[in-house]
Amino acid sequence: MSLTNTPSPDQIKRLPKALLHDHLDGGLRTETIVELAQKIGYDKLPTQDPLKLAQWFEESCNSGSLVRYLETFSHTIAVMQSKEAIVQVARECAIDLARDGVVYAEVRGAPELFTEKGLTLNEVIEATTEGYKQGMAEAAKEGRKIRVESLLCGMRQNNKSQETAAAVVKYRNQGVVGFDIAGPEDGFPPTNQLSTFEYLRKENAHFTIHAGEAYGLPSIWEAIQICGAERLGHGVRIIDDIDFSTPSPKLGALASYIRDRRIPLELCPTSNLQTGAVKTYSEHPIGKLAKLRFRVTLNTDNRLMSNTSMSNEMTQCVKSFDWKFADLQRVTVNALKSSFIPFEERLEIIENTVKPAYAAISAE
C-alpha cells in the first residue's frame, strides 16, 4: 500500500493539511509588521529589516522560557490595533496557510488584546472574519481552496472571558466556531473561568483550553474534568502520566481517560522546543503518543515566533519518528474529526479532499 511510503519534502508541501492550533498574532509576515509599524509611528521594533526581524523573533523565542516567549507578542499586538491592520493580517494568514497546503484551519486570537486604541470587541471579531474571507477568496483565485474559522480567546490573567464567550455565541455560524483561554498557565488555573465554561456548555458552544503546556497534569485534569474542555491546547504534559519503565507503557488514570475518550491533543512540537518542554524534536512526546494511539493532531502554534509551517512540522515528524504517508494522513484526519464545524462538513473535507490527495501523492 502506497501510504506506507516515506513522503519527500516536495510531497509533504503538496499534501492537504488541517490546523487546529495557530495564533493570528503569532503568524504575521515580518514585512507586514514593519509596514504597519511605520504607518502608525510605532518605534519599538528591534529592527526595521524584515529578515533581521524574523531572526530576532525566533531567537527571542528560543530562550526556553514561556514567559519570554509570550513577551514577543507585544510587537505584533501593537501593530494590530486598527480594523484595516486586522483585516490585512487575517487576509495574509489565510493566504499563507493555503500556500502551505492547509485546507482547513481554526485560527485563534484574543479580541480583548486589540481594543487598546478604541476598537470594540465586536469590531475586532468582524475585522478578523472579514480578513479571512478576503484571504480565502484570494487563495481560491490562486487555485488553493482553504476554509479558515475563528476561535476567540479569553486571557487567563484578565477578567474578560465572559464577554468573549458571549461573542462566541453571538457570532456562531458567522466565521466563529469556538472559544479558548490562553496566556500564562502557572497561577491562572482554568477553574478561575469556570462560570464562563458552564455558560458555554449551556449554550452548546464548542471550546478548547490551553493546558498541559508549561504546567503539568493538574492543569489538564482541571481543563477536562472540571471545565469540560473538548480538546486540549497542547496537552503535551499528559506524557507525565505514562510509565515507560516497562516494555509495555502503563497509562495512568488521567492518560487512560483522555485516550479512551478520544480527547484531541493540539500538539505543537517546535513551539514546545522553544518554551523548554523538550530539548530535541525527536524527544517530543508526539512520537510516543501517536504510537499509543492518542487522538494526536499536529500544529504550528505561532508560525512567526517558531519560524515554522505545517509542512515544516510534518517534515520534522517524518525525520524524527520515521512517519509515513499513513501517519501524516492520520493526524490530518484526526484534526478534521476534532474540528468545531458540523460533522458532515468535516466528513466532506476528509472524503473529498484529504483521502484522494493522499492516495494520489503517495502513489507517485
Side-chain angles (χ1 to χ4, degrees), residues 242-251 292:
I242 305 173
D243 180 2
F244 290 96
S245 65
T246 57
S248 296
K250 294 179 182 175
L251 276 64
L292 290 170

Side-chain angles (χ1 to χ4, degrees), residues 284-303:
H284 194 278
I286 192 170
K288 291 176 178 175
L289 293 170
K291 277 187 178 175
L292 290 170
R293 299 305 296 268
F294 280 78
R295 176 71 74 83
V296 164
T297 69
L298 182 64
N299 303 277
T300 50
D301 201 9
N302 297 289
R303 287 169 289 116

Side-chain angles (χ1 to χ4, degrees), residues 30 33-34 37 42-61 68 71-76 78-79 304:
T30 50
I33 297 173
V34 172
Y42 180 76
D43 59 4
K44 295 179 182 177
L45 293 180
T47 173
Q48 296 287 316
D49 182 310
L51 285 176
K52 289 180 180 174
L53 188 60
Q55 291 171 350
W56 178 87
F57 270 102
E58 188 180 10
E59 286 166 7
S60 296
C61 293
R68 188 171 167 202
E71 283 172 3
T72 60
F73 287 87
S74 62
H75 297 301
T76 57
V79 301
L304 167 63

Side-chain angles (χ1 to χ4, degrees), residues 59-277:
E59 286 166 7
S60 296
C61 293
N62 280 337
S63 63
S65 163
L66 180 62
V67 173
R68 188 171 167 202
Y69 184 100
L70 295 173
E71 283 172 3
T72 60
F73 287 87
S74 62
H75 297 301
T76 57
I77 291 166
V79 301
M80 290 175 65
Q81 296 297 326
S82 71
K83 178 184 175 182
E84 296 74 22
I86 294 169
V87 169
Q88 178 179 345
V89 170
R91 183 182 75 244
E92 292 173 353
C93 168
I95 294 167
D96 291 347
L97 291 176
R99 288 174 179 168
D100 190 44
V102 177
V103 295
Y104 179 80
E106 291 177 4
V107 181
R108 62 192 73 193
E112 66 192 73
L113 297 177
F114 310 108
T115 58
E116 293 171 7
K117 300 291 184 183
L119 288 179
T120 66
L121 214 64
N122 289 351
E123 286 170 336
V124 172
I125 296 163
E126 289 165 13
T128 305
T129 52
E130 174 58 29
Y132 293 148
K133 279 183 192 170
Q134 290 182 16
M136 288 187 274
E138 287 187 42
K141 287 179 186 175
E142 294 181 3
R144 306 172 195 277
K145 187 177 180 183
I146 185 172
R147 177 173 178 177
V148 183
E149 301 283 353
S150 265
L151 293 177
L152 306 183
C153 294
M155 299 304 292
R156 291 172 182 268
Q157 67 273 36
N158 300 337
N159 195 28
K160 298 180 181 177
S161 289
Q162 182 58 41
E163 191 181 353
T164 303
V168 168
V169 174
K170 176 180 178 179
Y171 289 98
R172 180 164 32 199
N173 303 322
Q174 299 175 61
V176 174
V177 293
F179 177 82
D180 175 34
I181 54 167
E185 275 187 79
D186 198 0
F188 300 97
T191 44
N192 285 4
Q193 324 271 348
L194 185 57
S195 61
T196 294
F197 295 121
E198 289 173 343
Y199 161 79
L200 288 163
R201 281 189 283 185
K202 287 173 186 172
E203 292 291 341
N204 305 308
H206 293 293
F207 61 92
T208 178
I209 294 177
H210 272 75
E213 179 186 13
Y215 201 66
L217 296 173
S219 175
I220 294 174
W221 181 82
E222 285 192 12
I224 297 296
Q225 306 297 18
I226 300 182
C227 300
E230 294 169 73
R231 305 192 315 229
L232 287 168
H234 293 280
V236 64
R237 296 288 295 277
I238 195 61
I239 201 78
D240 297 346
D241 196 39
I242 305 173
D243 180 2
F244 290 96
S245 65
T246 57
S248 296
K250 294 179 182 175
L251 276 64
L254 181 60
S256 293
Y257 184 89
I258 285 169
R259 185 176 70 171
D260 296 347
R261 287 288 301 272
R262 316 306 297 144
I263 293 170
L265 304 175
E266 303 166 2
L267 297 172
C268 310
T270 299
S271 174
N272 293 158
L273 281 175
Q274 290 184 302
T275 55

